[in-house]
Amino acid sequence: MYKWTISFKGETKINKDGSRKLEINEFVFENKYFKPKETIHFIITEEPDGWLYIKNDTLAIREGGDTFEQAIENAIVHLVDKYEHLLSTPDEKLGKLNLSSKREFENWGMYKIDQQAQ
């Protein structure tokens, strides 16, 4: 199992109906800093067997894990993979939904972090 280097700035909220939401304002994945233009909202659900799902229907991200940390790690890995794939794919090869996601990603800030500066 590969262990990623991930950190994020955000908060978890409990809605009036009891559902939980994770809001991420910025995150670091493998020495790359990502700053979405808008806060990313993930809905958190727990299955009866304890498995946690984290999803964002707008970005078509649905990942899970045995723990909150594992689930959010999987969601961020999926998000970064989608970000890098869509931004490197020509528009004419993308469907309507992926093109919409690509436009959103184009407004994000992304910077490589200099390892020596840390």
Side-chain angles (χ1 to χ4, degrees):
M1 177 181 212
Y2 188 81
K3 191 69 177 161
W4 305 101
T5 303
I6 297 173
S7 62
F8 66 92
K9 180 180 176 186
E11 61 184 332
T12 304
K13 296 182 177 183
I14 299 175
N15 298 320
K16 290 180 183 179
D17 66 1
S19 63
R20 296 182 292 165
K21 181 171 39 173
L22 171 65
E23 297 178 347
I24 295 180
N25 302 311
E26 59 190 55
F27 62 95
V28 175
F29 174 79
E30 295 293 299
N31 300 318
K32 293 178 187 174
Y33 169 79
F34 292 85
K35 176 66 175 155
K37 183 176 181 184
E38 305 282 331
T39 300
I40 302 170
H41 299 273
F42 287 104
I43 301 299
I44 304 166
T45 57
E46 187 172 352
E47 298 296 313
D49 62 358
W51 186 261
L52 289 175
Y53 280 106
I54 296 181
K55 71 177 185 169
N56 177 302
D57 290 335
T58 304
L59 296 172
I61 303 292
R62 181 178 169 100
E63 291 293 337
D66 289 321
T67 64
F68 175 77
E69 291 78 14
Q70 185 182 46
I72 190 60
E73 179 179 296
N74 290 339
I76 289 176
V77 168
H78 185 169
L79 183 59
V80 170
D81 185 53
K82 187 168 194 165
Y83 172 94
E84 291 177 345
H85 171 73
L86 291 179
L87 289 182
S88 66
T89 302
D91 288 357
E92 59 272 6
K93 292 188 177 186
L94 296 174
K96 193 180 204 179
L97 180 60
N98 280 329
L99 193 56
S100 174
S101 293
K102 181 178 181 177
R103 294 294 170 254
E104 184 172 332
F105 289 148
E106 288 172 335
N107 292 314
W108 287 22
M110 193 283 283
Y111 312 95
K112 291 186 178 181
I113 298 172
D114 182 4
Q115 282 291 89
Q116 293 179 352
Q118 293 182 4

